[in-house]
Amino acid sequence: DAKTTQPPSMDCAEGRAANLPCNHSTISGNEYVYWYRQIHSQGPQYIIHGLKNNETNEMASLIITEDRKSSTLILPHATLRDTAVYYCIVLNSGGSNYKLTFGKGTLLTVNP
Amino acid sequence: GAVVSQHPSRVICKSGTSVKIECRSLDFQATTMFWYRQFPKQSLMLMATSNEGSKATYEQGVEKDKFLINHASLTLSTLTVTSAHPEDSSFYICSAGLGVLGQGIYGYTFGSGTRLTVV
């Protein structure tokens, strides 16, 4: 399984962009990068996923480097409700590695 | 779409009793369900994977006789914590895989979790 490395915590000012990095240097060609977040005492919430190209949806943008060894999740205008633990997960959902395995994630604190 | 309803959200039980947690997929058929456990200030730990109509596959170190998983239909999976002890107190979360195992799971949707306290 490809492993991911994330900073344990980050702070962001409300209204500013939050950029959360993730290293996945051992990712293989058919593995996707998924991002989930968990607000305290709730189930994880899907944010976005991608393979090679950058992706954007109503919640966030995902920037994947050309060599695919790292990625950045961008919350363009962070709000206090975005305070959560953010998990970067590498997964081959079509193959044998279909289990979503969570690391320690990054605790993002959005400050007023 | 793709909502998983998990009940109860909180439960307190006496040591030695059993507790059942239910997860229902409301608007889709969940062929594959995953069960996680999360202790305070820790990440989610996968306990087991269940496929509809088959026996669950447990992760290493998880006692299958203590954590009984039933996935008898495409819309309901249950986790029963048998003979609960205080060390079983935890946050239990289910997740449904969107797609079919072996053919491709393209997403995962999570229940809201169950806070179990054993006294």
Side-chain angles (χ1 to χ4, degrees), chain A residues 36 38 93 98-100 103, chain B residues 36 38 43 59 105 108 111 115:
Chain A
Y36 281 79
Q38 186 180 25
S93 59
Y98 56 87
K99 301 177 187 178
L100 212 58
Chain B
Y36 293 84
Q38 185 175 32
S43 189
E59 296 298 302
I105 294 181
Y108 303 80
R115 175 77 57 194

Side-chain angles (χ1 to χ4, degrees), chain A residues 10-19 75 77-78 80 108-112:
Chain A
M10 292 183 66
D11 283 277
C12 176
E14 188 178 18
R16 305 295 294 268
N19 298 295
L75 306 179
H77 305 287
L80 299 179
L108 173 69
T109 302
V110 181
N111 300 305

Side-chain angles (χ1 to χ4, degrees), chain A residues 28-43:
Chain A
S28 58
N30 55 0
E31 289 182 315
Y32 287 76
V33 180
Y34 280 76
W35 283 84
Y36 281 79
R37 73 180 182 183
Q38 186 180 25
I39 296 169
H40 183 62
S41 293
Q42 296 183 24

